[in-house]
């Protein structure tokens, strides 16, 4: 039996379609990163986001990733995720929803389809990170049932892992159990 594809599990509003991303989508997704994140962190923040989503994710991690487009072929949302080869866990590496589509449940739907596919493939938890300045992301993930993992310090009550991704690249880390 074949494991479910998150694309097949995703229920979308009329006018939106989902598919697996391809290498050709890399530049299109990269083009969303500054505007969709409101240039959070300025040029340095834009560069960090671009570097976090290299082409290899569009070459080697597409079986568990999803790209959503509107009727005109514009990207409405995406989720890049994968299963850990070392433990029974899944990881959401990067997710984005067009600001015009936020509040519609699209992000939640992407995550739920990923959770179902990951569970069917043996994952018992999902992990992800965000930057401490991205309070909207922290709020979204906690609403989705993710738990903030203890860090080495706190910023405004949020546990932060200093230098998580290298010097000066602090992160907030989440985990969510799967059924």
């Amino acid at each position: 039996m074949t494991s479910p594809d998150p694309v097949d599990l995703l229920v979308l509003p009329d006018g939106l379609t989902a598919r697996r991303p391809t290498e050709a989508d890399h530049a299109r997704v990269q083009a969303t990163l500054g505007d969709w994140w409101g240039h959070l962190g300025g040029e340095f923040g834009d560069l960090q986001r671009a570097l976090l989503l290299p082409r290899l994710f569009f070459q080697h991690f597409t079986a568990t990733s999803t790209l959503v487009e509107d009727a005109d072929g514009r990207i409405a949302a995406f989720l890049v995720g994968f299963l850990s080869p070392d433990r029974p866990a899944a990881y959401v590496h990067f997710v984005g929803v067009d600001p015009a589509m936020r509040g519609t449940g699209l992000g939640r739907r992407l995550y739920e389809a990923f959770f179902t596919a990951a569970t069917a493939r043996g994952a018992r938890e999902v992990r992800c990170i965000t930057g401490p300045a991205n309070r909207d992301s922290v709020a979204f993930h906690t609403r989705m049932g993710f738990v903030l993992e203890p860090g080495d310090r706190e910023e405004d009550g949020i546990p932060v892992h200093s230098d998580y991704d290298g010097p000066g690249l602090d992160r907030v880390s989440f985990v969510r159990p799967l059924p």
Side-chain angles (χ1 to χ4, degrees), residues 12-89:
L12 294 171
D14 289 341
L16 296 178
T17 57
R19 62 178 174 81
R20 288 182 180 184
T22 67
E23 188 173 351
D25 294 313
H26 178 252
R28 296 176 61 218
V29 170
Q30 286 274 326
T32 71
L33 300 180
D35 291 340
W36 284 16
W37 273 261
H39 301 283
L40 183 65
E43 286 182 31
F44 182 66
D46 287 349
L47 177 61
Q48 280 187 65
R49 280 182 290 282
L51 293 173
L52 284 170
L53 202 53
R55 183 177 302 274
L56 71 92
F57 285 101
F58 295 81
Q59 296 168 322
H60 302 286
F61 295 93
T62 61
T64 49
S65 298
T66 304
L67 183 86
V68 177
E69 295 173 310
D70 68 13
D72 295 322
R74 288 185 299 260
I75 298 173
F78 63 90
L79 183 147
V80 175
F82 55 89
L83 286 118
S84 170
D86 295 330
R87 59 175 117 167

Side-chain angles (χ1 to χ4, degrees), residues 15 27 37 57 66 68 119 122 132 151 155 158 165 169:
W37 273 261
F57 285 101
T66 304
V68 177
T119 300
E155 278 186 27
I158 303 293
D165 278 331
L169 300 174

Side-chain angles (χ1 to χ4, degrees), residues 63-141:
T64 49
S65 298
T66 304
L67 183 86
V68 177
E69 295 173 310
D70 68 13
D72 295 322
R74 288 185 299 260
I75 298 173
F78 63 90
L79 183 147
V80 175
F82 55 89
L83 286 118
S84 170
D86 295 330
R87 59 175 117 167
Y91 191 84
V92 174
H93 179 69
F94 217 110
V95 64
V97 176
D98 183 328
M101 297 294 299
R102 292 185 188 151
T104 66
L106 185 53
R108 175 176 291 281
R109 291 173 186 187
L110 281 167
Y111 270 85
E112 288 172 350
F114 181 77
F115 296 159
T116 300
T119 300
R121 294 172 187 205
R124 293 194 303 253
E125 67 183 13
V126 176
R127 295 183 165 275
C128 61
I129 60 168
T130 194
N134 195 341
R135 300 306 169 135
D136 290 341
S137 178
V138 172
F140 173 80
H141 285 92

Side-chain angles (χ1 to χ4, degrees), residues 146-170:
F146 283 90
V147 175
L148 292 155
E149 296 189 290
D152 62 330
R153 70 179 213 289
E154 286 195 4
E155 278 186 27
D156 300 322
I158 303 293
V160 175
H161 299 260
S162 301
D163 302 328
Y164 184 94
D165 278 331
L169 300 174
D170 303 342

